[in-house]
Amino acid sequence: MKNLLPTLCLLLCAAPAAAADDPLLAELLAKGPEALLVEADKRISNFQDQELTVEMSIFSGGKLEQKAKLTTFTKGSARIVRFDEPADVRGMGILIKARAIYVKIPGSPKVRRVAGHSRKQGMMGSDYAFDDTSMLALAEDYTAELAGQTDADVKLVLTRKPGSEMNYPKLEVLISKSDLVRHHTRFFDDDGKELKTETRTELRKNEKGHYTHGTVVMKDSQRDHHTENKVVAEKVDQGLEDRFFQQKTLLKNL
Amino acid sequence: MPAEFRARTTSLQAAATAVGALAVRAPWAVLVLSVFVTAALAPLAARVGYDDDVLGFLPDDEPEVERFRDIGRRFGGLSVGVIGVAATDGDLFTPERLCLLQRVTQGVRTVEGIEHSSSVTHLLDADVAQEGGEEITVVGMLIDELPCDDPQSIDAAAIRARVLSRDHVRGALISPRGDAALVLANVRPDVPVRPIAEEVRAMVDGWLPGVEGVRVYYGGAPFVGSYVAQVARDDILRLSPWISLAIIVIVLLTSRSVLGATIALGSVGMGIVWVLGMFTLVDEPLTLVSSSLPVLLIALGSAYSIHLLARILDNLDAGEVDRRRAVLDSMAHVGPPVLVAGLTTAAGFVSFQVMNIEPMRDFGLWMTVGTLVVVLLGMLVVPAAAVILPLRGRPGGRAPAWAVRAMAAAALAAARRPVWTFGLTAALVIACGVAIRVVPGGMDMRAFFAEDSEPVAAEAFLEARLGGSVFVQAQVAGDIKSPLVLLAIERLAAEACAMPGVTDVQSVAVPMLIGARALTGARRIPAAEASTRAIATLLDSEDPNIRLLVDAPWRHALLQIKVQAGSPDTPAALKAALEGRRERRLAAVSRGALNDVQRAAERRAVEGHVRAALRCAGRAGPQGLGDALAVRYTDVSPAGVGRLEARLEEALGEEDPLIALADPGALAALKPNVIRGLAARTLEPPALAEAIAAVAHPDELEDREALDTAAASLYASLRDIVEQDAVDRRLEAVAGLIGEPLPERDHLALRRALAVLDDPYAVVPAEAAGGASERADIEVAVTGFPLVYQRMNEAVQRNQVSSLALTAVLVITTLSIFFRSAVLGLVATIPAGLTLAVMFAVMGLLRIPMDVGSTMLASIAMGVGIDYAVHLAWRYGAEVNGTEVNGTEETGATRDEAVVRTLGATGWGIVINALEVSLGFGILAFGSLVPMKAVGLLTSTAMAVGAVTTLVLLPALLRWAWRITRKSALATAQPS
């Protein structure tokens, strides 16, 4: 009995307090699911430009198959992906701009344009298509519908807008009530079959109010295969100019 | 035991008589015990396993097997099943048929034991298209996943055009006319192949009823192996009753005793059940060779019981009414030669222990055991059954008088004309020696199966449309991502393709070319190592088929070489050519630093590559090729100049330029200088950058580094045009030497061979490179099922020669001891030697290949020859020295009388056995497999030759030997 009180106290103190809902949640829900989606988009893409370095690990059958390290420069819809590892692809660059993809491989002083539909294809054997990496903001391409709530999350079903070129006709997302950030996404095909799921964890928030997940796992729902991206470094708002996102940048050793 | 027998026995007779006495004294016990053991072992015999692993037949120290296994493990198996899907109306490109192809490719992968499957429906592809005047790369699958639940939405015509436009696919995975396609299924190493092949077949056949106008062919090692096993099993089931019937009828007709035939064949049948039961007891499966054990035991074992029984019946026919006495007499007189023949045959099989092939050693061991078991059972069951069953005598005997007269006449004629006899024998031996030399060593599948059989039909179809289904693999070890090694692989592939009998070669160079086309726009593997490494790494992550051609660390690559089944010498020729290449170590020397020796070495290598590419395209290499390749171009053709101008316009013109100029009009002045410098190979990237900077827009000069980089990029694309122009002109020169224009496909191969002459470095053999240069070493190892089979047969042949040599020593020694005369030992071995020689000669004449099966036939020839000779020689000695029949002693006969009496006593037994086995096995000629037919034919030959040699030649030899040995030998060995 003598020890019970301190123990209980310790347990109670150590127990995580239930995270409180974000103050904006009620207002956004009142406005409708679209507003919630716009806010969730904003929180993870709240930057003018971003330089994000991730370590990508590809697993097949639970076994690590391949590792890579890449840095993505983003401004608006333009992106440059630079491959840092493995050594054999160091210096390879990909420019994605206005639905066009340009590739430059090391050793070649030429930039090659690749057909736009390649954006829907897998990248380096990972579970990510080129387009998946740009799916930070969804409100532009999808309409949202409230599909339910739990104590922690709001579930939205997103339907692709007519004219959108996004890969997936339907998404199901979970937005955390405490920070209004999307942390779980299910991707479906035209037949309603689940293709893959993305889970984001280790949420961080910088001083500018921008949220980043430290780990993002994309899992193929059809086979035992998944890709884990761990953020190594992130820089935002460095003042990258529009002309940075040109073929010439690929030609330089990034 | 009757006193008169006990008094006159030698040790062998003592042993034989003792066994006979046991059977006579307790016949029911012997029979019941034998039947009980047989009944106990029968269920086990029915469960005997089968191991179809042919690799086990390679010698213990054979590097070929280790190499095959190593390479197989590295690449997920070298056993490639080939499923040919053909449209009967000539067009495979309909939605339903394409869907079937996709379904088969996907479905095969789900079968346990299949590592990977591929077809045109599952190939990564890269194409180049024009979009807004710009060349763009289109990467994707050659055929996107087909929406087979909505076949109307499939644009089959577009798919047809796309697939048939791919050089590396057309003729390899799809027939040039688009009426047939291949699905390749790689079977994992170290798994039983037959059930996998059967499962795949059942699955695919199950889908066929839903698709009209399609026929499926199954080829490649797994399906052929499965077919062989299935057909052999069916043949045995179909023919066994007829063989048994034929044997029973012959024994009945010759012995004229139903009970006698039952006893003789029953004891052999028991022996077979015992031995097969023992296999299961010790958990040993039958193998390719030991599965012939039942057949061998029938052929060899029935002789023992027939000789014993023939003597028993002779005694009864001669008036003996007491079956016990008849049996004991038979055991005393025929038992010793049966024992000796059995022991000598067993000794022959013991000689297999010198072989370095484990399954052959096991086979020898089991045949030793099997021979001893059937001898033992013959000596126990035949006497016991003869005592119990009511065997009756037949006045006048069983052997037809005319037959005995004919045998005696032939034998005496041979004996009385020694010069003719030995002359003819010598001629026969020489003729056999000549015929043996033409016994084929290799294995042509078409010689293996009947013309109308499924594998031959499948192979004929696959060869006509898709180059066949037989694969040889060449492994290249080295740093596969290195451009030097990739060039070496391209050259090896061209060399392999140029060889007669080769129909297609796939290597990692093909996907690398596709990747290079996609990422650099050029139709060649880049010269820059950074580029090849990047392309390789991307391919590795994107192309699921890549693992069939290169291992995960890219340290080993595989050339998949398709060869015609009708070219049995091609695999060995490939091995010699590819492994024998001198260029094991390659070096890259800067082109500017090349000396004459290095330049000549490079030209020789390029010339070899070009000639191989031409031969691959079915053209002879022209004269003067070396000189044409030596030309260095220092100008650009008008077409090239046009392309250079267009590129400069595109990069520096007004519309979305790579580098904007301050005054667009400055381009007109810049172009001639740049083109002149490029053509003369004097303009370098910094000079171009300076020239452009001088007229560039001020904004471009703000970031000079970016301008320099863009200028370097422009320089590279301009250099590409200059180099392509040089390649075009060299191609024209080659076409001029040939005297006709080359088709597009040949162009591409030649273009790749020629392109290296304009690379910044030259690839030369390392020994010509001198000191500081980039180097790459390669090792080439050629393997594959055809080579493994070939090595297996070579190893079996080698082993057979050593084993037969030891057998000869063991047999002659055993018989010399038995006859107490080296001369008689030698003479008694001659029928076996002649039988072997004639059998191999027949193989040569009929082009039956020497393989594992010939071991079985050699065993039959040897066993039969020994058995007949021992019986005849034994009896001859008895007749010459005087013997006793039914307790009545007779004086020694003259040699002619001895011959006649010997043939009367044992000749008919030999004839019965020879007729029984040769006619019985002759039925195998109605089998479906050529080797099975060969077994039937050759067994019949061996039995007939063994019998004729023994009955005609051996008496003459014995008369001659007798003169030398006098009475020293048989005199002491015989009961006299």
PDB file of all heavy atoms in Angstrom, chain B residues 710-738:
ATOM      1  N   ALA B 710      25.701  23.373 -70.465  1.00  0.00           N
ATOM      2  CA  ALA B 710      24.788  23.235 -71.597  1.00  0.00           C
ATOM      3  C   ALA B 710      25.567  23.103 -72.901  1.00  0.00           C
ATOM      4  O   ALA B 710      25.198  22.312 -73.785  1.00  0.00           O
ATOM      5  CB  ALA B 710      23.855  24.447 -71.653  1.00  0.00           C
ATOM      6  N   ALA B 711      26.667  23.835 -73.003  1.00  0.00           N
ATOM      7  CA  ALA B 711      27.488  23.735 -74.213  1.00  0.00           C
ATOM      8  C   ALA B 711      28.101  22.340 -74.325  1.00  0.00           C
ATOM      9  O   ALA B 711      28.186  21.770 -75.422  1.00  0.00           O
ATOM     10  CB  ALA B 711      28.586  24.797 -74.186  1.00  0.00           C
ATOM     11  N   ALA B 712      28.501  21.774 -73.181  1.00  0.00           N
ATOM     12  CA  ALA B 712      29.067  20.414 -73.200  1.00  0.00           C
ATOM     13  C   ALA B 712      28.010  19.414 -73.650  1.00  0.00           C
ATOM     14  O   ALA B 712      28.299  18.470 -74.396  1.00  0.00           O
ATOM     15  CB  ALA B 712      29.590  20.049 -71.811  1.00  0.00           C
ATOM     16  N   SER B 713      26.784  19.644 -73.199  1.00  0.00           N
ATOM     17  CA  SER B 713      25.690  18.759 -73.610  1.00  0.00           C
ATOM     18  C   SER B 713      25.458  18.865 -75.115  1.00  0.00           C
ATOM     19  O   SER B 713      25.296  17.853 -75.808  1.00  0.00           O
ATOM     20  CB  SER B 713      24.421  19.140 -72.846  1.00  0.00           C
ATOM     21  OG  SER B 713      23.314  18.484 -73.406  1.00  0.00           O
ATOM     22  N   LEU B 714      25.469  20.106 -75.589  1.00  0.00           N
ATOM     23  CA  LEU B 714      25.280  20.314 -77.028  1.00  0.00           C
ATOM     24  C   LEU B 714      26.416  19.656 -77.810  1.00  0.00           C
ATOM     25  O   LEU B 714      26.190  19.000 -78.836  1.00  0.00           O
ATOM     26  CB  LEU B 714      25.228  21.826 -77.322  1.00  0.00           C
ATOM     27  CG  LEU B 714      25.161  22.221 -78.800  1.00  0.00           C
ATOM     28  CD1 LEU B 714      23.909  21.656 -79.453  1.00  0.00           C
ATOM     29  CD2 LEU B 714      25.188  23.756 -78.948  1.00  0.00           C
ATOM     30  N   TYR B 715      27.630  19.820 -77.289  1.00  0.00           N
ATOM     31  CA  TYR B 715      28.793  19.222 -77.952  1.00  0.00           C
ATOM     32  C   TYR B 715      28.603  17.696 -78.078  1.00  0.00           C
ATOM     33  O   TYR B 715      28.852  17.104 -79.129  1.00  0.00           O
ATOM     34  CB  TYR B 715      30.063  19.521 -77.155  1.00  0.00           C
ATOM     35  CG  TYR B 715      31.304  18.899 -77.740  1.00  0.00           C
ATOM     36  CD1 TYR B 715      32.006  19.531 -78.762  1.00  0.00           C
ATOM     37  CD2 TYR B 715      31.761  17.654 -77.304  1.00  0.00           C
ATOM     38  CE1 TYR B 715      33.134  18.945 -79.331  1.00  0.00           C
ATOM     39  CE2 TYR B 715      32.875  17.054 -77.861  1.00  0.00           C
ATOM     40  CZ  TYR B 715      33.558  17.708 -78.872  1.00  0.00           C
ATOM     41  OH  TYR B 715      34.666  17.129 -79.435  1.00  0.00           O
ATOM     42  N   ALA B 716      28.132  17.093 -76.974  1.00  0.00           N
ATOM     43  CA  ALA B 716      27.958  15.638 -76.984  1.00  0.00           C
ATOM     44  C   ALA B 716      26.948  15.218 -78.043  1.00  0.00           C
ATOM     45  O   ALA B 716      27.151  14.232 -78.758  1.00  0.00           O
ATOM     46  CB  ALA B 716      27.502  15.164 -75.604  1.00  0.00           C
ATOM     47  N   SER B 717      25.853  15.966 -78.151  1.00  0.00           N
ATOM     48  CA  SER B 717      24.850  15.556 -79.138  1.00  0.00           C
ATOM     49  C   SER B 717      25.357  15.804 -80.560  1.00  0.00           C
ATOM     50  O   SER B 717      25.036  15.044 -81.477  1.00  0.00           O
ATOM     51  CB  SER B 717      23.520  16.270 -78.885  1.00  0.00           C
ATOM     52  OG  SER B 717      23.698  17.668 -78.976  1.00  0.00           O
ATOM     53  N   LEU B 718      26.177  16.852 -80.741  1.00  0.00           N
ATOM     54  CA  LEU B 718      26.763  17.087 -82.071  1.00  0.00           C
ATOM     55  C   LEU B 718      27.762  15.981 -82.406  1.00  0.00           C
ATOM     56  O   LEU B 718      27.821  15.486 -83.539  1.00  0.00           O
ATOM     57  CB  LEU B 718      27.444  18.466 -82.101  1.00  0.00           C
ATOM     58  CG  LEU B 718      26.494  19.674 -81.957  1.00  0.00           C
ATOM     59  CD1 LEU B 718      27.306  20.965 -81.751  1.00  0.00           C
ATOM     60  CD2 LEU B 718      25.599  19.813 -83.180  1.00  0.00           C
ATOM     61  N   ARG B 719      28.554  15.573 -81.409  1.00  0.00           N
ATOM     62  CA  ARG B 719      29.531  14.486 -81.628  1.00  0.00           C
ATOM     63  C   ARG B 719      28.813  13.201 -81.999  1.00  0.00           C
ATOM     64  O   ARG B 719      29.259  12.428 -82.839  1.00  0.00           O
ATOM     65  CB  ARG B 719      30.367  14.255 -80.361  1.00  0.00           C
ATOM     66  CG  ARG B 719      31.606  15.103 -80.248  1.00  0.00           C
ATOM     67  CD  ARG B 719      32.559  14.832 -81.364  1.00  0.00           C
ATOM     68  NE  ARG B 719      32.883  13.408 -81.461  1.00  0.00           N
ATOM     69  CZ  ARG B 719      34.104  12.935 -81.515  1.00  0.00           C
ATOM     70  NH1 ARG B 719      35.126  13.767 -81.472  1.00  0.00           N
ATOM     71  NH2 ARG B 719      34.335  11.645 -81.629  1.00  0.00           N
ATOM     72  N   ASP B 720      27.686  12.989 -81.355  1.00  0.00           N
ATOM     73  CA  ASP B 720      26.879  11.805 -81.685  1.00  0.00           C
ATOM     74  C   ASP B 720      26.548  11.788 -83.171  1.00  0.00           C
ATOM     75  O   ASP B 720      26.636  10.743 -83.831  1.00  0.00           O
ATOM     76  CB  ASP B 720      25.561  11.830 -80.904  1.00  0.00           C
ATOM     77  CG  ASP B 720      25.674  11.084 -79.596  1.00  0.00           C
ATOM     78  OD1 ASP B 720      26.771  10.569 -79.328  1.00  0.00           O
ATOM     79  OD2 ASP B 720      24.672  11.031 -78.868  1.00  0.00           O
ATOM     80  N   ILE B 721      26.150  12.950 -83.674  1.00  0.00           N
ATOM     81  CA  ILE B 721      25.767  13.032 -85.086  1.00  0.00           C
ATOM     82  C   ILE B 721      26.976  12.746 -85.975  1.00  0.00           C
ATOM     83  O   ILE B 721      26.874  11.991 -86.954  1.00  0.00           O
ATOM     84  CB  ILE B 721      25.171  14.432 -85.389  1.00  0.00           C
ATOM     85  CG1 ILE B 721      23.847  14.591 -84.641  1.00  0.00           C
ATOM     86  CG2 ILE B 721      24.978  14.627 -86.890  1.00  0.00           C
ATOM     87  CD1 ILE B 721      23.284  16.007 -84.650  1.00  0.00           C
ATOM     88  N   VAL B 722      28.126  13.302 -85.608  1.00  0.00           N
ATOM     89  CA  VAL B 722      29.342  13.073 -86.401  1.00  0.00           C
ATOM     90  C   VAL B 722      29.702  11.583 -86.390  1.00  0.00           C
ATOM     91  O   VAL B 722      30.043  10.988 -87.417  1.00  0.00           O
ATOM     92  CB  VAL B 722      30.508  13.931 -85.849  1.00  0.00           C
ATOM     93  CG1 VAL B 722      31.819  13.575 -86.536  1.00  0.00           C
ATOM     94  CG2 VAL B 722      30.199  15.409 -86.021  1.00  0.00           C
ATOM     95  N   GLU B 723      29.609  10.995 -85.205  1.00  0.00           N
ATOM     96  CA  GLU B 723      29.959   9.571 -85.090  1.00  0.00           C
ATOM     97  C   GLU B 723      28.967   8.699 -85.869  1.00  0.00           C
ATOM     98  O   GLU B 723      29.367   7.740 -86.532  1.00  0.00           O
ATOM     99  CB  GLU B 723      29.985   9.163 -83.613  1.00  0.00           C
ATOM    100  CG  GLU B 723      31.218   9.685 -82.894  1.00  0.00           C
ATOM    101  CD  GLU B 723      31.088   9.595 -81.381  1.00  0.00           C
ATOM    102  OE1 GLU B 723      30.192   8.892 -80.904  1.00  0.00           O
ATOM    103  OE2 GLU B 723      31.907  10.240 -80.700  1.00  0.00           O
ATOM    104  N   GLN B 724      27.690   9.039 -85.765  1.00  0.00           N
ATOM    105  CA  GLN B 724      26.694   8.278 -86.515  1.00  0.00           C
ATOM    106  C   GLN B 724      26.937   8.403 -88.016  1.00  0.00           C
ATOM    107  O   GLN B 724      26.753   7.444 -88.765  1.00  0.00           O
ATOM    108  CB  GLN B 724      25.274   8.772 -86.190  1.00  0.00           C
ATOM    109  CG  GLN B 724      24.809   8.449 -84.778  1.00  0.00           C
ATOM    110  CD  GLN B 724      25.008   6.990 -84.432  1.00  0.00           C
ATOM    111  OE1 GLN B 724      24.626   6.114 -85.187  1.00  0.00           O
ATOM    112  NE2 GLN B 724      25.667   6.734 -83.313  1.00  0.00           N
ATOM    113  N   ASP B 725      27.367   9.573 -88.404  1.00  0.00           N
ATOM    114  CA  ASP B 725      27.666   9.787 -89.821  1.00  0.00           C
ATOM    115  C   ASP B 725      28.813   8.870 -90.269  1.00  0.00           C
ATOM    116  O   ASP B 725      28.750   8.253 -91.339  1.00  0.00           O
ATOM    117  CB  ASP B 725      28.036  11.263 -90.031  1.00  0.00           C
ATOM    118  CG  ASP B 725      28.170  11.607 -91.501  1.00  0.00           C
ATOM    119  OD1 ASP B 725      27.137  11.556 -92.206  1.00  0.00           O
ATOM    120  OD2 ASP B 725      29.309  11.880 -91.958  1.00  0.00           O
ATOM    121  N   ALA B 726      29.836   8.786 -89.411  1.00  0.00           N
ATOM    122  CA  ALA B 726      30.969   7.901 -89.728  1.00  0.00           C
ATOM    123  C   ALA B 726      30.514   6.448 -89.798  1.00  0.00           C
ATOM    124  O   ALA B 726      30.910   5.689 -90.685  1.00  0.00           O
ATOM    125  CB  ALA B 726      32.067   8.076 -88.686  1.00  0.00           C
ATOM    126  N   VAL B 727      29.653   6.070 -88.844  1.00  0.00           N
ATOM    127  CA  VAL B 727      29.146   4.691 -88.834  1.00  0.00           C
ATOM    128  C   VAL B 727      28.342   4.434 -90.112  1.00  0.00           C
ATOM    129  O   VAL B 727      28.482   3.383 -90.753  1.00  0.00           O
ATOM    130  CB  VAL B 727      28.289   4.429 -87.567  1.00  0.00           C
ATOM    131  CG1 VAL B 727      27.612   3.067 -87.647  1.00  0.00           C
ATOM    132  CG2 VAL B 727      29.155   4.509 -86.327  1.00  0.00           C
ATOM    133  N   ASP B 728      27.505   5.403 -90.491  1.00  0.00           N
ATOM    134  CA  ASP B 728      26.711   5.256 -91.728  1.00  0.00           C
ATOM    135  C   ASP B 728      27.627   5.021 -92.925  1.00  0.00           C
ATOM    136  O   ASP B 728      27.349   4.174 -93.780  1.00  0.00           O
ATOM    137  CB  ASP B 728      25.877   6.525 -91.972  1.00  0.00           C
ATOM    138  CG  ASP B 728      24.678   6.600 -91.042  1.00  0.00           C
ATOM    139  OD1 ASP B 728      24.340   5.558 -90.444  1.00  0.00           O
ATOM    140  OD2 ASP B 728      24.103   7.698 -90.898  1.00  0.00           O
ATOM    141  N   ARG B 729      28.711   5.772 -92.976  1.00  0.00           N
ATOM    142  CA  ARG B 729      29.602   5.648 -94.140  1.00  0.00           C
ATOM    143  C   ARG B 729      30.349   4.321 -94.110  1.00  0.00           C
ATOM    144  O   ARG B 729      30.588   3.698 -95.145  1.00  0.00           O
ATOM    145  CB  ARG B 729      30.556   6.845 -94.178  1.00  0.00           C
ATOM    146  CG  ARG B 729      29.768   8.126 -94.460  1.00  0.00           C
ATOM    147  CD  ARG B 729      30.542   9.357 -94.135  1.00  0.00           C
ATOM    148  NE  ARG B 729      31.462   9.703 -95.211  1.00  0.00           N
ATOM    149  CZ  ARG B 729      32.297  10.756 -95.152  1.00  0.00           C
ATOM    150  NH1 ARG B 729      32.301  11.518 -94.085  1.00  0.00           N
ATOM    151  NH2 ARG B 729      33.114  11.014 -96.143  1.00  0.00           N
ATOM    152  N   ARG B 730      30.690   3.862 -92.924  1.00  0.00           N
ATOM    153  CA  ARG B 730      31.337   2.543 -92.832  1.00  0.00           C
ATOM    154  C   ARG B 730      30.349   1.451 -93.245  1.00  0.00           C
ATOM    155  O   ARG B 730      30.725   0.476 -93.894  1.00  0.00           O
ATOM    156  CB  ARG B 730      31.833   2.286 -91.410  1.00  0.00           C
ATOM    157  CG  ARG B 730      33.044   3.102 -91.057  1.00  0.00           C
ATOM    158  CD  ARG B 730      33.826   2.498 -89.900  1.00  0.00           C
ATOM    159  NE  ARG B 730      35.011   3.299 -89.661  1.00  0.00           N
ATOM    160  CZ  ARG B 730      35.058   4.324 -88.819  1.00  0.00           C
ATOM    161  NH1 ARG B 730      33.994   4.642 -88.116  1.00  0.00           N
ATOM    162  NH2 ARG B 730      36.162   5.013 -88.688  1.00  0.00           N
ATOM    163  N   LEU B 731      29.107   1.626 -92.803  1.00  0.00           N
ATOM    164  CA  LEU B 731      28.074   0.653 -93.192  1.00  0.00           C
ATOM    165  C   LEU B 731      27.928   0.597 -94.707  1.00  0.00           C
ATOM    166  O   LEU B 731      27.811  -0.476 -95.294  1.00  0.00           O
ATOM    167  CB  LEU B 731      26.725   1.059 -92.588  1.00  0.00           C
ATOM    168  CG  LEU B 731      26.359   0.457 -91.242  1.00  0.00           C
ATOM    169  CD1 LEU B 731      25.033   1.031 -90.759  1.00  0.00           C
ATOM    170  CD2 LEU B 731      26.236  -1.052 -91.356  1.00  0.00           C
ATOM    171  N   GLU B 732      27.928   1.775 -95.311  1.00  0.00           N
ATOM    172  CA  GLU B 732      27.832   1.838 -96.781  1.00  0.00           C
ATOM    173  C   GLU B 732      29.011   1.097 -97.396  1.00  0.00           C
ATOM    174  O   GLU B 732      28.863   0.372 -98.383  1.00  0.00           O
ATOM    175  CB  GLU B 732      27.841   3.290 -97.247  1.00  0.00           C
ATOM    176  CG  GLU B 732      26.474   3.946 -97.240  1.00  0.00           C
ATOM    177  CD  GLU B 732      26.571   5.426 -97.572  1.00  0.00           C
ATOM    178  OE1 GLU B 732      27.476   5.815 -98.340  1.00  0.00           O
ATOM    179  OE2 GLU B 732      25.762   6.188 -97.023  1.00  0.00           O
ATOM    180  N   ALA B 733      30.195   1.293 -96.802  1.00  0.00           N
ATOM    181  CA  ALA B 733      31.395   0.627 -97.330  1.00  0.00           C
ATOM    182  C   ALA B 733      31.253  -0.886 -97.226  1.00  0.00           C
ATOM    183  O   ALA B 733      31.583  -1.627 -98.165  1.00  0.00           O
ATOM    184  CB  ALA B 733      32.627   1.118 -96.569  1.00  0.00           C
ATOM    185  N   VAL B 734      30.728  -1.361 -96.075  1.00  0.00           N
ATOM    186  CA  VAL B 734      30.548  -2.807 -95.886  1.00  0.00           C
ATOM    187  C   VAL B 734      29.522  -3.332 -96.901  1.00  0.00           C
ATOM    188  O   VAL B 734      29.749  -4.364 -97.547  1.00  0.00           O
ATOM    189  CB  VAL B 734      30.095  -3.112 -94.437  1.00  0.00           C
ATOM    190  CG1 VAL B 734      29.726  -4.582 -94.286  1.00  0.00           C
ATOM    191  CG2 VAL B 734      31.189  -2.748 -93.454  1.00  0.00           C
ATOM    192  N   ALA B 735      28.410  -2.609 -97.042  1.00  0.00           N
ATOM    193  CA  ALA B 735      27.382  -3.028 -98.003  1.00  0.00           C
ATOM    194  C   ALA B 735      27.971  -3.050 -99.410  1.00  0.00           C
ATOM    195  O   ALA B 735      27.662  -3.942-100.211  1.00  0.00           O
ATOM    196  CB  ALA B 735      26.179  -2.094 -97.936  1.00  0.00           C
ATOM    197  N   GLY B 736      28.848  -2.092 -99.697  1.00  0.00           N
ATOM    198  CA  GLY B 736      29.496  -2.049-101.005  1.00  0.00           C
ATOM    199  C   GLY B 736      30.371  -3.273-101.220  1.00  0.00           C
ATOM    200  O   GLY B 736      30.396  -3.864-102.307  1.00  0.00           O
ATOM    201  N   LEU B 737      31.067  -3.706-100.175  1.00  0.00           N
ATOM    202  CA  LEU B 737      31.924  -4.894-100.287  1.00  0.00           C
ATOM    203  C   LEU B 737      31.068  -6.147-100.491  1.00  0.00           C
ATOM    204  O   LEU B 737      31.446  -7.068-101.209  1.00  0.00           O
ATOM    205  CB  LEU B 737      32.766  -5.052 -99.020  1.00  0.00           C
ATOM    206  CG  LEU B 737      33.879  -4.012 -98.808  1.00  0.00           C
ATOM    207  CD1 LEU B 737      34.501  -4.178 -97.429  1.00  0.00           C
ATOM    208  CD2 LEU B 737      34.956  -4.160 -99.885  1.00  0.00           C
ATOM    209  N   ILE B 738      29.916  -6.170 -99.816  1.00  0.00           N
ATOM    210  CA  ILE B 738      29.029  -7.337 -99.962  1.00  0.00           C
ATOM    211  C   ILE B 738      28.353  -7.312-101.330  1.00  0.00           C
ATOM    212  O   ILE B 738      28.073  -8.351-101.922  1.00  0.00           O
ATOM    213  CB  ILE B 738      27.980  -7.346 -98.821  1.00  0.00           C
ATOM    214  CG1 ILE B 738      28.689  -7.640 -97.500  1.00  0.00           C
ATOM    215  CG2 ILE B 738      26.888  -8.375 -99.052  1.00  0.00           C
ATOM    216  CD1 ILE B 738      27.838  -7.452 -96.291  1.00  0.00           C
TER     217      ILE B 738
END
